[in-house]
Amino acid sequence: LIHDQLEESRAITILRHVFFEMSLLGTGILKGPFTDAKTYHSYDTVEDEEGNVDNIYVAKTKSIPSIEAVSCWDFYPDPNATTMDDCDYVIQRHKFTRSQLRDLINMPYFDEKAISECLAMGGNYNTEYYEDIIQTYDKQNYGEGVTSDRYEVLEYWGMLDFQTASLIDLDLPNNSDNELDQVQINAWVCNGKTLRIVLNPFTPQRLPFCTFPYEINPY
């Protein structure tokens, strides 16, 4: 079962990418695992009362685990932390097309109205200087700050103070009455709009990122 799930989630390809960045850049980053729904396409043979046989299309949905390889260039951890255990928060930077941003509407707890407003505002992705260097673009033509038709979506995993969380209709635990308490959340932001904000769904709560250094630097 585990082997089948790894094959279905393209784990071998994803892990190879993580190990490649670990060797090339010094650190590989793996995100997950999450639970995704996968649709299987099949046909069932049905015979009617007159003996006619027909094939009927049947779509079957199954829950499978999924993982993701996160590039070092899109990974912004707590700068005061030396390990993931010390991180107060992590931000992942996404570069989405219109179709990819629109597909978020079908994901749980995403705000359809906010996503539609972001789509109407147009692309907001700013090309960073290192992206031009990596892609060997001519900086005179593709300089820093150029806005394309892509969308920059920031995914935040980390702490939020209890007082602020209580103002945004989160389903907070009732066992806290201290305004200095914190809760761990997951929030998605684009064009100044909050696309999704929920409590961290993991039990126990954790940041869903694993980092793999090629060589450990104790300092």
Side-chain angles (χ1 to χ4, degrees):
L1 176 60
I2 293 174
H3 279 284
D4 288 343
Q5 290 178 339
L6 290 173
E7 289 182 1
E8 286 179 321
S9 59
R10 297 176 51 250
I12 295 176
T13 302
I14 293 170
L15 288 171
R16 280 178 175 170
H17 182 84
V18 173
F19 298 148
F20 175 76
E21 283 214 346
M22 179 181 67
S23 303
L24 180 69
L25 302 175
T27 301
I29 303 160
L30 183 69
K31 180 183 179 185
F34 296 97
T35 301
D36 279 350
K38 183 174 181 178
T39 301
Y40 294 87
H41 307 283
S42 62
Y43 290 86
D44 284 352
T45 301
V46 178
E47 184 176 352
D48 59 20
E49 297 177 354
E50 299 177 356
N52 298 320
V53 177
D54 193 12
N55 292 327
I56 299 178
Y57 170 75
V58 178
K60 300 178 181 179
T61 302
K62 179 182 177 182
S63 295
I64 63 169
S66 66
I67 55 177
E68 178 186 347
V70 180
S71 172
C72 288
W73 304 108
D74 297 326
F75 186 68
Y76 297 84
D78 180 355
N80 295 315
T82 55
T83 66
M84 287 303 302
D85 293 333
D86 297 333
C87 277
D88 244 358
Y89 66 88
V90 167
I91 298 173
Q92 182 183 354
R93 183 174 181 243
H94 297 276
K95 182 180 182 180
F96 283 164
T97 63
R98 288 182 65 86
S99 297
Q100 289 172 326
L101 183 60
R102 190 181 293 109
D103 287 343
L104 293 179
I105 294 175
N106 302 320
M107 303 294 288
Y109 305 111
F110 277 90
D111 188 339
E112 181 176 352
K113 180 181 177 182
I115 294 174
S116 299
E117 291 174 352
C118 288
L119 290 169
M121 294 168 69
N124 68 324
Y125 188 86
N126 292 321
T127 304
E128 300 289 351
Y129 73 93
Y130 54 79
E131 293 178 274
D132 288 334
I133 296 173
I134 293 172
Q135 299 177 27
T136 64
Y137 284 160
D138 181 0
K139 294 193 70 176
Q140 293 180 349
N141 297 325
Y142 301 91
E144 179 183 358
V146 174
T147 302
S148 69
D149 59 349
R150 298 296 192 262
Y151 293 83
E152 181 183 74
V153 179
L154 302 180
E155 180 183 357
Y156 172 88
W157 290 86
M159 306 306 297
L160 181 69
D161 65 273
F162 199 88
Q163 187 173 8
T164 303
S166 63
L167 300 176
I168 54 178
D169 297 330
L170 285 179
D171 187 14
L172 299 174
N174 298 321
N175 58 357
S176 177
D177 54 2
N178 188 345
E179 62 180 13
L180 298 180
D181 282 351
Q182 293 179 315
V183 291
Q184 201 169 96
I185 65 162
N186 170 229
W188 293 60
V189 178
C190 177
N191 260 333
K193 305 288 185 181
T194 302
L195 308 184
R196 178 184 195 253
I197 182 165
V198 294
L199 292 177
N200 189 321
F202 291 101
T203 304
Q205 290 186 341
R206 62 179 178 86
L207 300 178
F209 296 90
C210 299
T211 56
F212 304 94
Y214 182 80
E215 187 174 29
I216 295 176
N217 180 357
Y219 309 111

PDB file of all heavy atoms in Angstrom, residues 175-188:
ATOM      1  N   ASN A 175     -10.258  26.772  25.378  1.00  0.00           N
ATOM      2  CA  ASN A 175      -9.491  26.575  26.605  1.00  0.00           C
ATOM      3  C   ASN A 175      -8.461  27.668  26.834  1.00  0.00           C
ATOM      4  O   ASN A 175      -7.535  27.499  27.607  1.00  0.00           O
ATOM      5  CB  ASN A 175      -8.798  25.204  26.574  1.00  0.00           C
ATOM      6  CG  ASN A 175      -7.890  25.064  25.359  1.00  0.00           C
ATOM      7  OD1 ASN A 175      -7.821  25.953  24.518  1.00  0.00           O
ATOM      8  ND2 ASN A 175      -7.210  23.935  25.276  1.00  0.00           N
ATOM      9  N   SER A 176      -8.587  28.793  26.127  1.00  0.00           N
ATOM     10  CA  SER A 176      -7.625  29.876  26.288  1.00  0.00           C
ATOM     11  C   SER A 176      -8.360  31.174  26.576  1.00  0.00           C
ATOM     12  O   SER A 176      -9.275  31.563  25.859  1.00  0.00           O
ATOM     13  CB  SER A 176      -6.765  30.035  25.028  1.00  0.00           C
ATOM     14  OG  SER A 176      -5.886  31.126  25.183  1.00  0.00           O
ATOM     15  N   ASP A 177      -7.977  31.838  27.652  1.00  0.00           N
ATOM     16  CA  ASP A 177      -8.537  33.144  27.981  1.00  0.00           C
ATOM     17  C   ASP A 177      -7.428  34.180  28.158  1.00  0.00           C
ATOM     18  O   ASP A 177      -7.669  35.271  28.656  1.00  0.00           O
ATOM     19  CB  ASP A 177      -9.392  33.053  29.246  1.00  0.00           C
ATOM     20  CG  ASP A 177      -8.628  32.443  30.418  1.00  0.00           C
ATOM     21  OD1 ASP A 177      -7.428  32.135  30.240  1.00  0.00           O
ATOM     22  OD2 ASP A 177      -9.227  32.277  31.488  1.00  0.00           O
ATOM     23  N   ASN A 178      -6.222  33.823  27.768  1.00  0.00           N
ATOM     24  CA  ASN A 178      -5.082  34.722  27.888  1.00  0.00           C
ATOM     25  C   ASN A 178      -4.852  35.405  26.547  1.00  0.00           C
ATOM     26  O   ASN A 178      -4.629  34.747  25.529  1.00  0.00           O
ATOM     27  CB  ASN A 178      -3.828  33.941  28.306  1.00  0.00           C
ATOM     28  CG  ASN A 178      -2.662  34.866  28.630  1.00  0.00           C
ATOM     29  OD1 ASN A 178      -2.672  36.054  28.300  1.00  0.00           O
ATOM     30  ND2 ASN A 178      -1.649  34.319  29.283  1.00  0.00           N
ATOM     31  N   GLU A 179      -4.920  36.737  26.522  1.00  0.00           N
ATOM     32  CA  GLU A 179      -4.779  37.466  25.265  1.00  0.00           C
ATOM     33  C   GLU A 179      -3.368  37.368  24.687  1.00  0.00           C
ATOM     34  O   GLU A 179      -3.132  37.696  23.530  1.00  0.00           O
ATOM     35  CB  GLU A 179      -5.139  38.937  25.468  1.00  0.00           C
ATOM     36  CG  GLU A 179      -4.242  39.667  26.450  1.00  0.00           C
ATOM     37  CD  GLU A 179      -4.620  41.113  26.620  1.00  0.00           C
ATOM     38  OE1 GLU A 179      -5.718  41.506  26.179  1.00  0.00           O
ATOM     39  OE2 GLU A 179      -3.809  41.866  27.195  1.00  0.00           O
ATOM     40  N   LEU A 180      -2.411  36.864  25.509  1.00  0.00           N
ATOM     41  CA  LEU A 180      -1.048  36.701  25.027  1.00  0.00           C
ATOM     42  C   LEU A 180      -0.825  35.345  24.367  1.00  0.00           C
ATOM     43  O   LEU A 180       0.253  35.097  23.829  1.00  0.00           O
ATOM     44  CB  LEU A 180      -0.049  36.879  26.181  1.00  0.00           C
ATOM     45  CG  LEU A 180      -0.035  38.254  26.849  1.00  0.00           C
ATOM     46  CD1 LEU A 180       0.997  38.288  27.972  1.00  0.00           C
ATOM     47  CD2 LEU A 180       0.261  39.359  25.841  1.00  0.00           C
ATOM     48  N   ASP A 181      -1.835  34.473  24.396  1.00  0.00           N
ATOM     49  CA  ASP A 181      -1.715  33.169  23.766  1.00  0.00           C
ATOM     50  C   ASP A 181      -1.623  33.314  22.246  1.00  0.00           C
ATOM     51  O   ASP A 181      -2.019  34.333  21.668  1.00  0.00           O
ATOM     52  CB  ASP A 181      -2.907  32.285  24.120  1.00  0.00           C
ATOM     53  CG  ASP A 181      -2.774  31.699  25.515  1.00  0.00           C
ATOM     54  OD1 ASP A 181      -1.683  31.847  26.096  1.00  0.00           O
ATOM     55  OD2 ASP A 181      -3.750  31.119  26.009  1.00  0.00           O
ATOM     56  N   GLN A 182      -1.114  32.268  21.610  1.00  0.00           N
ATOM     57  CA  GLN A 182      -0.977  32.254  20.162  1.00  0.00           C
ATOM     58  C   GLN A 182      -1.605  30.996  19.586  1.00  0.00           C
ATOM     59  O   GLN A 182      -1.725  29.980  20.272  1.00  0.00           O
ATOM     60  CB  GLN A 182       0.502  32.316  19.756  1.00  0.00           C
ATOM     61  CG  GLN A 182       1.203  33.618  20.090  1.00  0.00           C
ATOM     62  CD  GLN A 182       2.663  33.600  19.674  1.00  0.00           C
ATOM     63  OE1 GLN A 182       3.372  32.627  19.910  1.00  0.00           O
ATOM     64  NE2 GLN A 182       3.115  34.671  19.037  1.00  0.00           N
ATOM     65  N   VAL A 183      -2.002  31.078  18.331  1.00  0.00           N
ATOM     66  CA  VAL A 183      -2.494  29.917  17.600  1.00  0.00           C
ATOM     67  C   VAL A 183      -1.683  29.809  16.310  1.00  0.00           C
ATOM     68  O   VAL A 183      -1.154  30.800  15.805  1.00  0.00           O
ATOM     69  CB  VAL A 183      -3.997  30.022  17.271  1.00  0.00           C
ATOM     70  CG1 VAL A 183      -4.817  29.921  18.526  1.00  0.00           C
ATOM     71  CG2 VAL A 183      -4.310  31.306  16.515  1.00  0.00           C
ATOM     72  N   GLN A 184      -1.579  28.587  15.805  1.00  0.00           N
ATOM     73  CA  GLN A 184      -0.829  28.376  14.572  1.00  0.00           C
ATOM     74  C   GLN A 184      -1.818  28.306  13.410  1.00  0.00           C
ATOM     75  O   GLN A 184      -2.813  27.582  13.469  1.00  0.00           O
ATOM     76  CB  GLN A 184      -0.009  27.083  14.657  1.00  0.00           C
ATOM     77  CG  GLN A 184       1.142  27.048  13.669  1.00  0.00           C
ATOM     78  CD  GLN A 184       2.089  25.893  13.937  1.00  0.00           C
ATOM     79  OE1 GLN A 184       1.957  24.849  13.307  1.00  0.00           O
ATOM     80  NE2 GLN A 184       3.034  26.064  14.841  1.00  0.00           N
ATOM     81  N   ILE A 185      -1.532  29.075  12.344  1.00  0.00           N
ATOM     82  CA  ILE A 185      -2.477  29.208  11.244  1.00  0.00           C
ATOM     83  C   ILE A 185      -1.792  28.921   9.905  1.00  0.00           C
ATOM     84  O   ILE A 185      -0.565  28.834   9.814  1.00  0.00           O
ATOM     85  CB  ILE A 185      -3.093  30.617  11.193  1.00  0.00           C
ATOM     86  CG1 ILE A 185      -2.006  31.663  10.868  1.00  0.00           C
ATOM     87  CG2 ILE A 185      -3.826  30.954  12.469  1.00  0.00           C
ATOM     88  CD1 ILE A 185      -2.555  32.989  10.381  1.00  0.00           C
ATOM     89  N   ASN A 186      -2.625  28.790   8.896  1.00  0.00           N
ATOM     90  CA  ASN A 186      -2.170  28.747   7.500  1.00  0.00           C
ATOM     91  C   ASN A 186      -2.961  29.807   6.745  1.00  0.00           C
ATOM     92  O   ASN A 186      -4.188  29.796   6.759  1.00  0.00           O
ATOM     93  CB  ASN A 186      -2.402  27.368   6.896  1.00  0.00           C
ATOM     94  CG  ASN A 186      -2.172  27.334   5.398  1.00  0.00           C
ATOM     95  OD1 ASN A 186      -2.995  26.830   4.639  1.00  0.00           O
ATOM     96  ND2 ASN A 186      -1.068  27.880   4.937  1.00  0.00           N
ATOM     97  N   ALA A 187      -2.262  30.750   6.103  1.00  0.00           N
ATOM     98  CA  ALA A 187      -2.919  31.837   5.377  1.00  0.00           C
ATOM     99  C   ALA A 187      -2.308  31.971   3.986  1.00  0.00           C
ATOM    100  O   ALA A 187      -1.103  31.818   3.815  1.00  0.00           O
ATOM    101  CB  ALA A 187      -2.788  33.152   6.141  1.00  0.00           C
ATOM    102  N   TRP A 188      -3.159  32.254   3.007  1.00  0.00           N
ATOM    103  CA  TRP A 188      -2.735  32.504   1.631  1.00  0.00           C
ATOM    104  C   TRP A 188      -3.125  33.927   1.272  1.00  0.00           C
ATOM    105  O   TRP A 188      -4.266  34.341   1.508  1.00  0.00           O
ATOM    106  CB  TRP A 188      -3.414  31.540   0.664  1.00  0.00           C
ATOM    107  CG  TRP A 188      -3.005  30.101   0.817  1.00  0.00           C
ATOM    108  CD1 TRP A 188      -3.141  29.322   1.933  1.00  0.00           C
ATOM    109  CD2 TRP A 188      -2.413  29.269  -0.185  1.00  0.00           C
ATOM    110  NE1 TRP A 188      -2.668  28.058   1.693  1.00  0.00           N
ATOM    111  CE2 TRP A 188      -2.220  27.996   0.397  1.00  0.00           C
ATOM    112  CE3 TRP A 188      -2.046  29.455  -1.505  1.00  0.00           C
ATOM    113  CZ2 TRP A 188      -1.661  26.929  -0.287  1.00  0.00           C
ATOM    114  CZ3 TRP A 188      -1.496  28.389  -2.203  1.00  0.00           C
ATOM    115  CH2 TRP A 188      -1.298  27.148  -1.601  1.00  0.00           C
TER     116      TRP A 188
END
